[in-house]
Amino acid sequence: MNTPPGERWRPRPIVERVERAPEWVRVYEVGPRDGLQAETAVIPARTKIELCRRLAAAGLRDIEATSFVPPAWIPQLTDAAEVLPALADLDGVRTVALVPNLRGLEQAVEAGARHVAVVVSATESFARANLNAARQAALATAVEVTREARGHGLGVRGYVSMAFGDPWEGPVDRGVVAATAAALFEAGCATVALGDTIGVATPGHVHAIVRDLAALGVPAGDLALHLHDTYGQALANVVAGLDAGVREFDSSIGGLGRCPYARGATGNLATEDLVWLLHGMGIATGADLDALAAVARWIGARLGRTGLPSRVTTALAAAGR
């Protein structure tokens, strides 16, 4: 439909279906947990709760809300037992809590969690820096937590951090990545997210790892990609993931977040940027792009930010949207 004379065009994705593109993709929002955990100023629990509610109102149905970690690890998330129960009335929304060990799982269950996430590392250096354990020990803990959570009837998602590159060790052995992800899948993780923690992945690398996992019996449809945009490759890697059969992608509202343990790692892929791409390809997400941009501006204001990394939110704001 043409824009009436005298009115400005409302910026939105121009839809052109891509051959073999799926009809629908799951957008897994990590902003309330991964996006906020690196913030130095303490954010009130009520702000975190409101952020999750606004994201749900914008159409997102998969939100990683918090993490039950020791306070000394991530002080920002010490209010997990307050945040998670306050979201119990969000109908049709999967609210997920990350748990690092059995104690964290116990706390999550006490808070009413129905879905949890576990995290491992594909490298020894990052496992010791991030998980305070050797790589294999951290994997054993995650497998134990996954089985215990499944025993409680909880859904479990697995993360493999440093799946593409490590700031200390450099390139990561793809065989180790595949074996680690397969172990989580076999333990009962319904989805395993491959983390490009420092943003060094490229499309060919994405295809190769998905093929490696398929050879171990892990279908592409049970994988997710957790992408950082350090080198501007995140959206290209989304397209590669789609082509390889991945149907779930992590993102953070406004592009908030970074890995506090990885030197040089910048923000997550912005949810608005991901949704713009997917909608432009004719792929449904259930999300309202304008509403997401409004949420990004809202949380940016609460954090005292004059701008956020999201290119779409920045462009829509400049266009008066």
Side-chain angles (χ1 to χ4, degrees):
M1 181 180 296
N2 293 330
T3 304
E7 293 186 16
R8 294 180 64 186
W9 176 63
R10 176 184 178 183
R12 60 188 182 275
I14 298 172
V15 180
E16 291 288 352
R17 283 283 302 170
V18 175
E19 186 178 357
R20 297 194 305 155
E23 295 293 327
W24 181 84
V25 158
R26 185 186 302 276
V27 174
Y28 184 90
E29 173 62 47
V30 300
R33 197 276 301 174
D34 196 24
L36 297 183
Q37 70 177 13
E39 295 292 319
T40 53
V42 176
I43 301 164
R46 63 179 180 275
T47 300
K48 298 171 184 173
I49 294 165
E50 181 66 16
L51 173 60
C52 291
R53 290 187 170 278
R54 287 175 180 253
L55 290 166
L60 297 180
R61 291 295 173 264
D62 300 274
I63 301 172
E64 193 162 285
T66 189
S67 179
F68 288 85
V69 296
W73 288 16
I74 306 177
Q76 186 67 258
L77 301 179
T78 56
D79 54 9
E82 179 180 356
V83 171
L84 191 64
L87 305 173
D89 63 337
L90 289 178
D91 291 336
V93 177
R94 176 175 61 146
T95 51
V96 182
L98 189 145
V99 294
N101 49 37
L102 288 174
R103 176 56 182 154
L105 174 61
E106 179 184 340
Q107 293 172 325
V109 170
E110 290 173 354
R114 295 188 296 273
H115 302 274
V116 297
V118 297
V119 59
V120 299
S121 172
T123 67
E124 193 68 43
S125 297
F126 189 74
R128 293 184 182 277
N130 185 41
L131 305 175
N132 299 315
R135 187 181 67 80
Q136 286 290 356
L139 176 59
T141 296
V143 167
E144 183 182 17
V145 171
T146 298
R147 290 172 176 162
E148 184 72 14
R150 291 295 301 270
H152 284 284
L154 275 62
V156 187
R157 188 181 204 257
Y159 281 104
V160 180
S161 295
M162 297 297 172
F164 297 89
D166 178 280
W168 299 279
E169 300 181 19
V172 180
D173 186 329
R174 289 198 344 247
V176 172
V177 175
T180 303
L184 292 179
F185 184 71
E186 291 167 6
C189 289
T191 304
V192 179
L194 304 173
D196 183 19
T197 316
I198 57 172
V200 296
T202 54
H205 201 169
V206 169
H207 274 278
I209 288 184
V210 173
R211 286 196 304 269
D212 291 342
L213 277 158
L216 294 181
V218 184
D222 292 316
L223 298 175
L225 287 176
H226 180 101
L227 302 167
H228 285 236
D229 205 30
T230 311
Y231 298 96
Q233 303 300 299
L235 290 177
N237 290 329
V238 169
V239 175
L242 288 168
D243 187 58
V246 178
R247 298 295 179 260
E248 181 168 321
F249 298 90
D250 296 9
S251 61
S252 175
I253 191 70
L256 289 172
R258 60 179 179 82
C259 176
Y261 304 98
R263 296 178 304 233
T266 55
N268 293 287
L269 170 61
T271 303
E272 312 90 282
D273 296 1
L274 173 63
V275 170
W276 182 286
L277 170 74
L278 295 174
H279 288 186
M281 296 173 71
I283 301 172
T285 66
D288 182 311
L289 190 56
D290 287 332
L292 288 174
V295 176
R297 292 192 294 270
W298 176 84
I299 189 61
R302 295 303 179 278
L303 298 177
R305 302 284 184 83
T306 56
L308 293 174
S310 169
R311 290 174 173 83
V312 166
T313 290
T314 299
L316 289 177
R321 294 292 177 186

